[in-house]
């Protein structure tokens, strides 16, 4: 079984520890089950995790600076040493270890994906180009086109990888049913 994961699977849980997600890691320990993400998914998850860590470290430092004037420095010891690089290293190590143990493969960018994206953009094909009707400041309804380029890169890179490696029993897991689900 080949399981391809969208970046939103990792939303708020880059180590797949919450809810049903640990099941994916247990399944990947079996020889006949493999997890796949592509470089776009990895980059999105890394960017989101870094942003989360930066925000929480700043909040923690702000709280500490507000609390410091009220501490008795002879009695209370408050030492906070958090390095963003270490936390991001843990993230990178997690994915590297999954790759080393052959539980997850990060699919590299494939130039053949570009032909799909150009066609999708040129002919404004669904599901990655959508039209929305919005009301502008003057109260007029206008059509706005929304392009989901990263979603298309994710989808077509998986498609190309599956075809080139002649994989069977492939499943795509995403919380994004609007773009990837059937109507």
């Amino acid at each position: 079984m080949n399981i391809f994961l969208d970046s939103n699977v990792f939303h708020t849980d880059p180590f797949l520890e919450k809810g049903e997600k640990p099941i994916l890691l247990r399944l990947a320990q079996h020889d006949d089950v493999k997890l796949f993400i592509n470089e776009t998914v990895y980059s999105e998850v890394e960017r989101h995790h870094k942003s989360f860590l930066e925000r929480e470290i700043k909040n923690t430092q702000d709280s500490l600076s507000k609390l410091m004037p009220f501490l008795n420095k002879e009695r209370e010891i408050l030492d906070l040493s958090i390095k963003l690089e270490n936390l991001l290293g843990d993230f990178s190590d997690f994915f590297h270890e999954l790759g080393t143990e052959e539980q997850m493969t990060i699919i590299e960018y494939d130039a053949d994906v570009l032909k799909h994206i150009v066609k999708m953009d040129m002919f404004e094909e669904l599901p990655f180009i959508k039209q929305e009707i919005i009301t502008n400041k003057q109260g007029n309804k206008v059509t706005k086109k929304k392009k989901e380029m990263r979603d298309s890169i994710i989808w077509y890179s998986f498609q190309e990888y599956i075809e080139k490696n002649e994989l069977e029993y492939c499943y795509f897991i995403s919380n994004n049913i609007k773009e990837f689900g059937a109507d």
Side-chain angles (χ1 to χ4, degrees):
M1 178 181 341
N2 301 294
I3 303 172
F4 295 81
L5 303 173
D6 191 8
S7 54
N8 58 35
V9 170
F10 299 91
H11 185 69
T12 70
D13 187 14
F15 299 102
L16 300 173
E17 298 174 325
K18 301 174 187 168
E20 306 291 326
K21 295 173 194 165
I23 294 171
L24 292 170
L25 295 178
R26 286 196 304 272
L27 283 171
Q29 292 174 350
H30 298 279
D31 288 339
D32 58 344
V33 177
K34 298 288 181 232
L35 300 178
F36 296 90
I37 62 173
N38 67 14
E39 289 187 56
T40 301
V41 169
Y42 180 84
S43 295
E44 282 185 357
V45 174
E46 181 182 45
R47 180 181 54 85
H48 185 268
H49 186 56
K50 180 181 181 203
S51 175
F52 167 78
L53 292 172
E54 288 172 335
R55 184 176 59 251
E56 293 307 311
I57 289 171
K58 182 180 180 336
N59 289 343
T60 302
Q61 290 169 338
D62 290 348
S63 294
L64 181 59
S65 68
K66 291 176 186 174
L67 185 59
M68 288 303 286
F70 303 105
L71 297 179
N72 180 333
K73 290 164 186 51
E74 294 173 7
R75 187 181 62 214
E76 283 89 23
I77 299 172
L78 192 54
D79 183 23
L80 183 64
S81 177
I82 300 174
K83 294 190 176 176
L84 179 63
E85 309 84 52
N86 292 342
L87 298 174
L88 292 175
D90 294 340
F91 173 87
S92 177
D93 291 347
F94 172 74
F95 282 91
H96 179 75
E97 184 177 327
L98 289 174
T100 300
E101 294 175 1
E102 298 182 356
Q103 294 177 353
M104 180 181 288
T105 299
I106 299 176
I107 300 169
E108 295 182 9
Y109 290 112
D110 184 328
D112 290 337
V113 170
L114 186 59
K115 68 182 178 200
H116 296 289
I117 294 171
V118 169
K119 181 179 175 226
M120 174 217 53
D121 185 52
M122 190 179 311
F123 296 105
E124 298 180 348
E125 294 177 342
L126 295 173
F128 303 116
I129 295 184
K130 294 181 219 64
Q131 292 186 4
E132 299 177 33
I133 306 291
I134 60 170
T135 305
N136 64 15
K137 292 179 182 178
Q138 292 78 26
N140 301 323
K141 294 189 186 256
V142 293
T143 302
K144 177 183 172 191
K145 291 183 181 171
K146 182 178 176 187
K147 296 181 180 186
E148 299 288 345
M149 297 308 282
R150 285 186 308 235
D151 285 346
S152 63
I153 291 168
I154 291 167
W155 181 260
Y156 290 122
S157 67
F158 289 158
Q159 178 183 326
E160 286 290 328
Y161 187 84
I162 290 167
E163 289 173 3
K164 287 180 180 180
N165 292 281
E166 299 178 358
L167 298 180
E168 295 180 328
Y169 308 107
C170 298
Y171 303 90
F172 179 60
I173 298 178
S174 175
N175 295 327
N176 193 350
I177 59 172
K178 285 185 177 182
E179 275 75 25
F180 297 119
D183 288 338

